[in-house]
Amino acid sequence: MEENIESGLRKPTRHRRPELEAPRYDKLRQWLNIIFMLGAVVGLLFYFFGDRTVGIIVIMAAMVFKFIECALRFIPK
């Protein structure tokens, strides 16, 4: 004897986020990160295999690009 018992529970609905636009500065931030990474690698190569002072200067110059990239994160979308 089977009875059709309806439960008060409903299947949960799934809410999907609408597709958001890419942030304004996304491409610029990617390029700044690439410049930073290349500068850091070149700076490390100078530091370990060449003149340490030049290596430090190159790394510090690369950090400027990273600081700019980080500052762009705080600009509202």
Side-chain angles (χ1 to χ4, degrees), residues 16-22:
R16 295 181 186 232
R17 293 181 184 174
E19 293 297 323
L20 300 175
E21 296 179 13

Side-chain angles (χ1 to χ4, degrees), residues 39-40 42-44 46-47 51-65:
V42 169
L44 285 173
F46 269 110
Y47 186 81
D51 187 14
R52 289 184 181 232
T53 306
V54 174
I56 292 172
I57 292 170
V58 171
I59 292 171
M60 289 174 62
M63 288 175 61
V64 171
F65 290 99

Side-chain angles (χ1 to χ4, degrees), residues 2 18-19 22 24 26 30-33 35 46 51-52 61 64 66 77:
E2 292 182 27
E19 293 297 323
R24 280 194 306 192
D26 200 28
Q30 287 177 357
W31 279 105
L32 289 171
N33 270 327
I35 293 169
F46 269 110
D51 187 14
R52 289 184 181 232
V64 171
K66 188 62 178 177
K77 296 177 183 176

Side-chain angles (χ1 to χ4, degrees), residues 1-6:
M1 182 164 33
E2 292 182 27
E3 293 182 24
N4 188 2
I5 300 175
E6 285 193 32

